[in-house]
Amino acid sequence: MAKKSYENEVSIKIEGKEWTDALDKAFKDKVKTVSVDGFRKGKVPRDIYEKKFGKESLYMPASDYVIDEAFKKALDESKLVPVVQPSVDLKNVDDNGIEFVFKIITKPEVKIKKYKGLNVKPSEVKVTKEEIEHEMGHILERYTETRTKESGEVANKDIAIIDFEGFKDGKAFEGGKAENYELEIGSNTFVPGFEEQLVGMKVNEEKDIDITFPKDYASEELKGAKVVFKVKVNEVKEKVERKFDKELFDDLAIEGVDSKKSLEEYIKKDIASQKEAEVENKYVEDLLEAVSKNVEVDIPEQMVEEEINRLIARFDDQLKMQGASLDLYYELSKTKEEDLRAQMEKEAYSHVLYRLVLEELQAIEKIEVTDKEVEEEVEDLSKKYNVKKDELVKGFGGLDLIKYDLEVRKVIEKLKEYNK
């Protein structure tokens, strides 16, 4: 197979004193861990060590001491700029030196045939009366209060405070017990059939509830299992619906909102703001997609793989914020890492493609960002997020990334101008 234009191999030799120093360091490390009859650990002479274990046992540990310097030399001598972490092979190694071959992937050639007059327009932002009413209803729901029911009998939409314990074949199973658990009837947060059987129970009443777990339940032990929950109702609360009155507006504590009408206006603006952000994101996506249809580029698979790694890492972070993990995700979704990688491949390819397109457009349009603009951006963002400048720069990953972000935004604004 012919080598791609972005595939580059650079050979670097490390020899002489640099290599002998690395071998010496490797020996000092290895000798601490080996045992030779007649010598204390760490006191084995070099010649005895080499006779017993061979000089070759030092080659790989010594390579670790010189590989970073070898890579630096590879970049300095070749003047290449890698777009992904390079791979490395060991070509030769002996007492005299070591030779690495670095495979460096550089940015592929991007040919943009057309990026003006593509007739891409943003969608119009509209806020409907139904959307406003829906959010108004959510507000009433969020600020709903509860009170203990006088009758104490469980009904739909009530909150039952219960003790329960689940038994399978007469034995309690893990995770099936709780005390003073608040369960909203009709929320469908429990196994199907559980909440319905609480309806009609009274305070201090105890009852056995028969349940069959779904066949696709997450726990292997409980899939399709018939169990019994021993339940006791400790208290029953009912919801008291709020009204759009002064008390509610005081609770909301939104500046300028003191009536139903002013709240509707506030909600309308808030929904419009959210929609404008969504429309803007979609508009930029549509612009880049339209330009990309007029692009010739051979994207290195290594760039896509690296982007997949980044997406998976981000997904993992999101799961951890929810108290979950990738392993739990794989277990519940009955998938493996390769399935997730395949699922993310299309998105990763688009990200890489759009990034290459934006960088090429920046070069074509000769778009630059000055140090002053970067300073002003840092100043603005530090004020906006109320953080120190150095903390902001660190959080961003450095000034270069802030500069890159500004460059991308300038390119996108230029694209919008050309496609109004």
Side-chain angles (χ1 to χ4, degrees):
M1 183 183 292
K3 192 168 74 169
K4 307 281 189 179
S5 60
Y6 49 73
E7 294 177 343
N8 307 270
E9 290 186 352
V10 181
S11 294
I12 294 294
K13 290 182 179 179
I14 300 293
E15 48 198 355
K17 186 176 185 304
E18 192 173 359
W19 180 237
T20 56
D21 286 348
L23 289 171
D24 289 344
K25 289 179 182 177
F27 168 70
K28 288 177 181 177
D29 283 342
K30 293 289 283 185
V31 77
K32 295 174 184 176
T33 62
V34 298
S35 298
V36 176
D37 291 343
F39 296 94
R40 285 183 296 155
K41 191 170 285 189
K43 299 298 182 180
V44 181
R46 178 78 169 264
D47 59 337
I48 301 295
Y49 171 90
E50 291 183 354
K51 187 180 243 185
K52 182 173 177 63
F53 300 103
K55 294 179 180 180
E56 297 80 8
S57 66
L58 300 176
Y59 292 163
M60 293 312 295
S63 72
D64 292 337
Y65 286 110
V66 296
I67 192 168
D68 288 344
E69 182 59 29
F71 178 48
K72 183 176 181 299
K73 286 183 179 181
L75 296 184
D76 289 344
E77 292 180 13
S78 67
K79 307 300 181 187
L80 296 172
V81 179
V83 291
V84 295
Q85 186 66 32
S87 60
V88 60
D89 290 322
L90 182 57
K91 188 174 182 180
N92 293 304
V93 61
D94 55 30
D95 280 356
N96 299 316
I98 187 168
E99 184 176 5
F100 298 103
V101 177
F102 293 96
K103 186 175 182 180
I104 299 175
I105 305 298
T106 54
K107 186 188 294 187
E109 184 181 4
V110 181
K111 294 182 179 178
I112 302 178
K113 293 176 283 187
K114 183 179 179 181
Y115 63 95
K116 300 177 182 179
L118 295 172
N119 197 31
V120 179
K121 308 293 181 187
S123 302
E124 187 179 347
V125 174
K126 291 182 179 179
V127 179
T128 66
K129 183 179 178 181
E130 289 74 20
E131 288 172 323
I132 296 172
E133 290 176 349
H134 182 74
E135 184 56 32
M136 296 281 280
H138 270 312
I139 288 174
L140 287 179
E141 190 175 327
R142 282 198 298 271
Y143 283 84
T144 294
E145 297 174 338
T146 61
R147 65 186 175 199
T148 300
K149 286 182 72 172
E150 295 301 327
S151 66
E153 186 173 301
V154 179
N156 193 38
K157 295 186 178 181
D158 282 348
I159 297 170
I161 317 299
I162 60 173
D163 297 339
F164 65 85
E165 186 170 14
F167 296 84
K168 178 187 174 185
D169 300 326
K171 294 182 179 179
F173 54 83
E174 188 177 351
K177 182 178 180 179
E179 294 181 354
N180 289 317
Y181 187 92
E182 293 195 7
L183 175 61
E184 182 178 344
I185 309 304
S187 63
N188 300 316
T189 54
F190 265 40
V191 184
F194 185 95
E195 294 171 27
E196 293 86 342
Q197 294 186 60
L198 290 177
V199 174
M201 290 185 68
K202 297 180 179 180
V203 173
N204 295 322
E205 183 179 348
E206 298 182 19
K207 180 178 180 181
D208 287 355
I209 292 178
D210 296 320
I211 292 291
T212 300
F213 277 88
K215 292 182 179 179
D216 60 351
Y217 194 68
S219 169
E220 287 293 332
E221 179 192 1
L222 297 175
K223 280 183 178 178
K226 292 184 178 181
V227 303
V228 176
F229 280 98
K230 293 186 177 298
V231 181
K232 179 186 177 184
V233 177
N234 298 321
E235 186 182 358
V236 182
K237 296 179 180 180
E238 62 182 345
K239 292 183 177 182
V240 181
E241 189 173 321
R242 298 291 296 274
K243 296 180 180 180
F244 291 109
D245 52 19
K246 185 179 184 305
E247 187 179 352
L248 177 61
F249 298 131
D250 288 343
D251 288 345
L252 290 174
I254 301 173
E255 187 177 351
V257 173
D258 56 6
S259 65
K260 187 176 181 181
K261 184 176 180 180
S262 59
L263 178 58
E264 287 174 340
E265 285 299 316
Y266 175 84
I267 289 173
K268 183 178 181 179
K269 288 179 182 178
D270 188 55
I271 294 174
S273 178
Q274 292 177 35
K275 284 192 171 187
E276 284 164 4
E278 291 169 3
V279 165
E280 173 67 12
N281 290 337
K282 182 67 167 57
Y283 178 36
V284 172
E285 182 86 11
D286 291 345
L287 271 173
L288 292 172
E289 184 180 358
V291 176
S292 298
K293 289 176 181 178
N294 295 278
V295 169
E296 289 181 6
V297 61
D298 184 10
I299 296 179
E301 64 180 49
Q302 295 92 333
M303 290 185 75
V304 178
E305 287 298 314
E306 195 166 89
E307 180 63 14
I308 291 174
N309 292 340
R310 191 189 68 80
L311 291 176
I312 289 178
R314 185 178 71 181
F315 181 52
D316 188 26
D317 288 340
Q318 291 169 346
L319 289 173
K320 286 174 180 175
M321 289 174 67
Q322 298 167 16
S325 66
L326 276 174
D327 288 340
L328 180 61
Y329 168 80
Y330 294 140
E331 181 183 343
L332 295 178
S333 62
K334 300 179 178 64
T335 58
K336 299 178 181 178
E337 182 182 345
E338 49 264 39
D339 300 316
L340 183 59
R341 296 187 75 85
Q343 180 184 326
M344 290 183 166
E345 185 174 2
K346 184 177 179 181
E347 181 183 358
Y349 182 89
S350 293
H351 286 188
V352 174
L353 175 58
Y354 294 166
R355 187 164 69 240
L356 291 170
V357 166
L358 287 165
E359 289 172 0
E360 182 62 18
L361 285 173
Q362 181 190 353
I364 292 171
E365 290 292 328
K366 297 180 174 57
I367 291 173
E368 295 182 353
V369 170
T370 65
D371 290 343
K372 183 180 179 182
E373 288 175 305
V374 175
E375 290 174 12
E376 290 173 349
E377 178 71 0
V378 171
E379 182 75 30
D380 290 344
L381 290 176
S382 65
K383 289 179 180 177
K384 180 179 179 180
Y385 296 111
N386 194 28
V387 295
K388 295 179 180 179
K389 293 180 185 178
D390 55 344
E391 292 177 0
L392 179 96
V393 172
K394 184 179 179 181
F396 243 94
L399 287 172
D400 286 344
L401 286 180
I402 295 176
K403 183 176 183 180
Y404 182 81
D405 184 61
L406 284 171
E407 289 168 347
V408 167
R409 281 152 52 187
K410 278 192 174 185
V411 174
I412 290 172
E413 289 306 311
K414 184 65 71 174
L415 261 183
K416 289 178 185 177
E417 287 177 25
Y418 288 142
N419 292 282
K420 286 182 178 178

